[in-house]
Amino acid sequence: ELQQQIYENVYWGHLNNDNSEAEAKELTEEYIAIPGTSEHMTGLAADISDPALYHLENGLITEFEDTATAQWLYENAADYGFILRYPSDKEGIIDVKYESWHFRYVGRENAQYMDGNNLALEEYIAILQKNEAIREQISELSE
Ligand SMILES: [Zn+2]
C-alpha cells in the first residue's frame, strides 16, 4: 500500500507538471519501482543516508555521495556483504538510474568479488550463469 501511495504521489506530481500520462509514467519509473516489484520487498535492500540530509527527500538524493558516510560505505560495504546496487557507471546495463543511497546485501564473498571486478549484480549473475559447475548446482536446486 505504501509503495502504491509513493508511486501515485510521484506520478501525479509529474502529471501535474505538464507531462502526458505516458511521460509521467516514464519519469516515475526512472526511480520508483512498480508497486510489488521493489528490491526492498526481498528484505535484502536498504536505503542509507546521512542525518544531515534527512530534511531533503529523506536524504535519498544523489548528493549523498559527497558525504563522509557515503564515502565510508563505498569503501567498506563489500566487507559486510553489501553492494551499491545502482552505480552511476552502470546506468546502461541496469534498468534503474543511479541511486547513491541504495545498498543490497549479496553476501561478503559475492560483494567483494563484484567490488573488486567492478561488476553490477546483473553482470555478476551473467558470469555465474556461464559457469557450468554453477549452472549444474542451480538446475539441481530447481529439481
Ligand atoms: Zn532503495
Side-chain angles (χ1 to χ4, degrees):
E1 283 172 21
L2 179 60
Q3 289 178 354
Q4 187 69 40
Q5 194 182 331
I6 291 167
Y7 185 98
E8 285 174 16
N9 284 347
V10 172
Y11 173 80
W12 284 103
H14 287 303
L15 204 58
N16 291 334
N17 211 1
D18 282 338
N19 292 293
S20 70
E21 287 180 10
E23 288 166 341
K25 184 176 186 295
E26 191 180 324
L27 288 167
T28 300
E29 291 172 10
E30 281 181 356
Y31 286 105
I32 309 296
I34 296 166
T37 68
S38 168
E39 190 169 75
H40 287 286
M41 292 186 74
T42 64
L44 297 171
D47 292 333
I48 304 173
S49 191
D50 188 283
L53 300 176
Y54 286 175
H55 65 291
L56 301 165
E57 309 282 340
N58 298 320
L60 306 183
I61 54 173
T62 299
E63 290 72 17
F64 169 64
E65 69 189 8
D66 299 323
T67 66
T69 302
Q71 293 303 316
W72 188 90
L73 283 164
Y74 301 152
E75 197 67 35
N76 298 289
D79 294 339
Y80 296 87
F82 286 85
I83 56 165
L84 181 68
R85 181 66 179 89
Y86 307 116
S88 59
D89 62 340
K90 301 292 182 180
E91 280 189 352
I93 294 159
I94 307 173
D95 210 17
V96 177
K97 287 209 164 188
Y98 173 48
E99 293 187 358
S100 62
W101 59 86
H102 181 110
F103 291 83
R104 157 85 183 247
Y105 184 77
V106 294
R108 190 170 175 215
E109 296 82 0
N110 294 321
Q112 288 178 330
Y113 187 87
M114 288 163 40
D115 191 48
N117 292 283
N118 188 32
L119 296 171
L121 184 57
E122 284 78 357
E123 296 170 304
Y124 184 55
I125 289 171
I127 289 169
L128 294 179
Q129 287 173 336
K130 283 182 195 147
N131 181 309
E132 195 170 327
I134 291 170
R135 271 207 327 268
E136 279 174 25
Q137 287 176 20
I138 292 169
S139 76
E140 283 169 19
L141 287 172
S142 62
E143 282 171 8

